[in-house]
Amino acid sequence: GPAGATTQAPSVSSVAPGGASPRVTGGDEVTWSLAVTLPEGTTPGLELTDILPAGFQFLSASVDTTGFGGSVDTSPGVATSGTVDVGQIVTLSFAGSTTVTDDGNTSNNSFLVTVTARAVGSSSANPTGPLTKTNTVRLSWTGNPAGFLQDTVDVTYGEPVLDLTKTMTPDTNLDAGDTGPIPPHLLRH
């Protein structure tokens, strides 16, 4: 496994877009932030796998090394498998070894990977809802005896709810058969 002077264990964590369990609908783009933390030293064969919820289509992935004290492949190989209706699997393979500087500072041992996907409203996996959709991220590397580390985060999928309110102008002293404009007021929730 990874070698290093610090006792900080490798970890991966995912953050839901827009806070805890946000609501998304067909056509929305969702970006998950995946924090990868490694111990100081060298980690060979780093691979990050994002198992998208069924009904979400992979669009892009990027690596942000702001504040990271080390070197990592910022243009990892990206492969997708599976289908939108069942759940696409996005695998990022980092070339060579990822190195975290042996400086005794655990606050600079993390980098961020963002994965963006679109909620596909026409997918059979996305009926009107609301449904809890779980994004699963796995971190593995050469020599990891556990195979991989894993974290999950949820979003809520649901089609928009329309609210239609009608008002009368004037709204007083009305008798049966009176006519007047009825301006609709439409809200999307």
Side-chain angles (χ1 to χ4, degrees):
T6 65
T7 58
Q8 184 175 23
S11 68
V12 62
S13 62
S14 48
V15 177
S21 198
R23 186 178 179 112
V24 298
T25 191
D28 285 353
E29 288 188 10
V30 179
T31 300
W32 283 278
S33 298
L34 313 173
V36 176
T37 302
L38 300 170
E40 294 177 351
T42 301
T43 304
L46 191 65
E47 190 172 88
L48 186 70
T49 303
D50 194 356
I51 303 167
L52 297 176
F56 285 74
Q57 178 184 20
F58 172 72
L59 297 176
S60 65
S62 64
V63 177
D64 180 357
T65 59
T66 303
F68 179 62
S71 62
V72 62
D73 178 6
T74 57
S75 297
V78 179
T80 59
S81 62
T83 66
V84 170
D85 288 343
V86 175
Q88 283 189 305
I89 299 171
V90 181
T91 304
L92 288 83
S93 299
F94 295 85
S97 292
T98 302
T99 303
V100 179
T101 305
D102 187 5
D103 61 5
N105 180 2
T106 58
S107 68
N108 65 3
N109 293 5
S110 299
F111 61 92
L112 195 64
V113 176
T114 57
V115 173
T116 302
R118 177 177 289 116
V120 179
S122 61
S123 170
S124 62
N126 288 336
T128 56
L131 300 169
T132 299
K133 299 289 193 158
T134 301
N135 186 51
T136 302
V137 61
R138 293 179 177 166
L139 179 67
S140 61
W141 61 89
T142 302
N144 178 9
F148 60 84
L149 303 174
Q150 178 173 298
D151 192 35
T152 61
V153 66
D154 294 337
V155 295
T156 300
Y157 176 87
E159 289 298 322
V161 176
L162 299 179
D163 238 351
L164 182 62
T165 305
K166 294 188 278 182
T167 58
M168 296 288 294
T169 305
D171 62 359
T172 58
N173 299 323
L174 298 173
D175 292 320
D178 287 352
T179 60
I182 304 174
H185 182 70
L186 186 62
L187 295 175
R188 178 182 172 217
H189 296 285

